[in-house]
Amino acid sequence: MRMAYDLRHKDWYAWMKENNQPAFRADQMMDWLYQKRVSSFADMSNLPKKMRETLSEQFRLEPLKTLTQQTSSDGTIKFLFALHDGHAIETVLMRHNYGISVCVTTQVGCRVGCTFCASTLGGLKRNLTAGEIVAQVMKAQIALDEIGEERVKSIVIMGIGEPFENYEATLQFLRIMNEEHGLHIGQRHITVSTSGIVPAIYRFADEKLQVGLAISLHAPNQELRKSLMPVSYRHPLSELMEACHYYIETTGRRLTFEYLLIKDRNDQDQHAHQLGQLLSNLNCYVNLIPINTVVERDMERTPRNQIFQFQRIVESYGIKATIRREHGTDIDAACGQLRAKHLDKKSEQPS
Ligand code: SAH
Ligand code: SF4
């Protein structure tokens, strides 16, 4: 069954036409979904009763069930949601000085297999639909509505999954978020992060969107990158860098590189120098991320001094490098950790 959140304004328009309804009903539908944010077709009081019945036969409106909702001391809210088929996913709401952002999941699990990541531990179960990604933002917004708070300002596609291995749904999600009759979140306020699926980077560049792109680099050379991210066998660093150049030339936009700092693996001075050289002629900035320790992985955090030293070296190449502020570390806010715990608990239960 399709989800109401899978459709764009123009899709509602077409649906209304097929069902012999006037065009303004599409506006009403968008208003109920994205402004009034109701969770049942029955509540859409200005739509004819018969039509509300037809809608509930054809569409699912509330696709996510909240399993847990944890708020950390810094106001970060971490949601664990169940999809209609029982799979669990995570969504995180973060507060910044520039407003509230939501981090969404695009797949149930991930098949990319990065060695430091909890999301990939059980492999890939399935892709999310665009509507299931939209629903995460709506759930977060409805949670904010309940405590009388502001609107979601920005979105990062950095939750569980590799968005560029679920390309169509991710693009449809971007369009729905951007819709004038929807939440109308500006493309510049959305960032998508990829582990480096090269053909998709070319495709994304050619879409000529204003959406930000972040590349999870995590290593400054092919050998090291292969040992941390098996995706580098499929898409070697040299090809990834060519795609990055293409993206910057085609879109005129600046790229973000994410670089996890893992103690004694990729955090030495020589790595910082290599990174500086690799990126020195690119219009980009670097986001340094101290790794969140994942129990299943034997990897530790870089000591503070070395984090700053790493940053200084990278910046000596004329590249802006920031150290990511952490959100909700007291509530397992690293990608996939809450879900991993949830799966563990389930497997401990007798079936
Ligand atoms: N699949 C995409 C987007 C989701 S992962 C990607 O890899 O870019 C989002 C970010 O979280 C990535 O930069 C990823 O490398 C990072 N990440 C994964 N495991 C982490 C961990 N244990 N600690 C900190 N960041 C982690
Ligand atoms: Fe997948 Fe991203 Fe995790 Fe790598 S870091 S396994 S691509 S979710």
Side-chain angles (χ1 to χ4, degrees):
M1 199 194 245
R2 279 205 295 176
M3 248 167 291
Y5 293 133
D6 279 321
L7 278 67
R8 293 179 63 185
H9 183 246
K10 67 178 175 65
D11 303 324
W12 283 118
Y13 183 77
W15 191 89
M16 295 300 166
K17 211 165 168 195
E18 270 165 35
N19 289 271
N20 302 315
Q21 292 289 334
F24 69 84
R25 295 263 184 243
D27 299 354
Q28 289 178 320
M29 178 54 89
M30 294 297 284
D31 185 54
W32 284 114
L33 291 176
Y34 296 102
Q35 313 308 327
K36 301 201 174 72
R37 307 193 262 274
V38 295
S39 52
S40 152
F41 289 113
D43 292 341
M44 301 184 172
S45 53
N46 61 1
L47 302 183
K49 188 150 183 294
K50 183 85 193 65
M51 183 182 152
R52 282 183 263 161
E53 284 164 12
T54 313
L55 284 164
S56 53
E57 281 157 18
Q58 291 189 12
F59 298 97
R60 191 179 282 123
L61 180 50
E62 211 178 30
L64 303 180
K65 201 173 109 216
T66 307
L67 294 175
T68 58
Q69 179 173 335
Q70 297 172 270
T71 306
S72 76
S73 47
D74 64 6
T76 301
I77 307 178
K78 180 109 186 185
F79 302 90
L80 185 69
F81 294 125
L83 299 167
H84 69 88
D85 56 3
H87 286 305
I89 57 162
E90 292 174 37
T91 306
V92 186
L93 179 155
M94 290 166 290
R95 295 163 200 276
H96 310 270
N97 47 14
Y98 54 85
I100 289 175
S101 77
V102 174
C103 176
V104 295
T105 284
T106 51
Q107 296 183 303
V108 181
C110 183
R111 70 174 193 114
V112 175
C114 302
T115 54
F116 43 77
C117 179
S119 301
T120 194
L121 289 170
L124 173 68
K125 302 294 181 208
R126 71 168 173 88
N127 280 333
L128 296 194
T129 69
E132 285 171 325
I133 312 174
V134 172
Q136 296 169 55
V137 181
M138 297 313 295
K139 280 285 211 185
Q141 181 61 62
I142 290 166
L144 289 172
D145 294 342
E146 280 166 5
I147 48 177
E149 282 201 55
E150 58 196 287
R151 299 268 311 265
V152 173
K153 177 90 184 286
S154 58
I155 294 169
V156 289
I157 308 180
M158 294 189 185
I160 299 166
E162 170 47 59
F164 280 179
E165 295 214 325
N166 187 13
Y167 191 89
E168 297 298 342
T170 299
L171 262 274
Q172 176 76 350
F173 164 71
L174 294 176
R175 294 190 192 103
I176 295 170
M177 282 297 107
N178 194 213
E179 204 91 87
E180 207 177 313
H181 291 84
L183 289 189
H184 200 22
I185 296 178
Q187 289 189 11
R188 286 170 189 278
H189 297 283
I190 306 180
T191 303
V192 50
S193 172
T194 177
S195 59
I197 310 296
V198 167
I201 296 173
Y202 284 102
R203 194 171 163 194
F204 193 71
D206 290 335
E207 311 270 359
K208 301 227 170 53
L209 300 171
Q210 294 300 315
V211 172
L213 181 63
I215 306 284
S216 293
L217 194 61
H218 307 330
N221 64 64
Q222 168 68 358
E223 274 316 296
L224 184 55
R225 197 163 192 268
K226 271 196 312 202
S227 74
L228 294 172
M229 303 175 74
V231 67
S232 242
Y233 287 93
R234 260 197 291 162
H235 304 297
L237 183 61
S238 54
E239 291 175 20
L240 174 59
M241 294 316 295
E242 272 176 41
C244 290
H245 278 276
Y246 180 82
Y247 175 86
I248 292 168
E249 281 158 25
T250 313
T251 63
R253 292 186 60 84
R254 185 187 274 202
L255 255 184
T256 303
F257 287 97
E258 292 157 290
Y259 193 99
L260 269 181
L261 288 167
I262 313 169
K263 188 167 178 238
D264 298 333
R265 293 294 297 273
N266 66 352
D267 66 347
Q268 300 299 300
D269 292 2
Q270 69 184 85
H271 300 126
H273 284 291
Q274 272 184 20
L275 185 64
Q277 281 154 14
L278 185 70
L279 305 181
S280 61
N281 60 349
L282 274 179
N283 180 18
C284 67
Y285 48 87
V286 172
N287 204 347
L288 298 171
I289 311 166
I291 189 172
N292 277 305
T293 316
V294 177
V295 256
E296 292 82 354
R297 311 293 202 189
D298 185 22
M299 290 178 183
E300 284 176 53
R301 237 164 212 236
T302 298
R304 275 176 71 83
N305 285 350
Q306 185 57 23
I307 296 177
F308 291 121
Q309 164 85 347
F310 199 97
Q311 179 188 31
R312 268 195 304 278
I313 297 175
V314 174
E315 291 208 314
S316 73
Y317 288 84
I319 301 158
K320 175 105 191 91
T322 50
I323 299 168
R324 177 169 303 167
R325 195 167 76 83
E326 291 175 68
H327 295 273
T329 37
D330 52 332
I331 52 162
D332 302 313
C335 300
Q337 291 189 357
L338 198 62
R339 173 171 172 265
K341 250 192 206 169
H342 170 77
L343 294 179
D344 267 359
K345 264 196 229 137
K346 271 206 334 206
S347 64
E348 281 161 16
Q349 286 163 7
S351 50

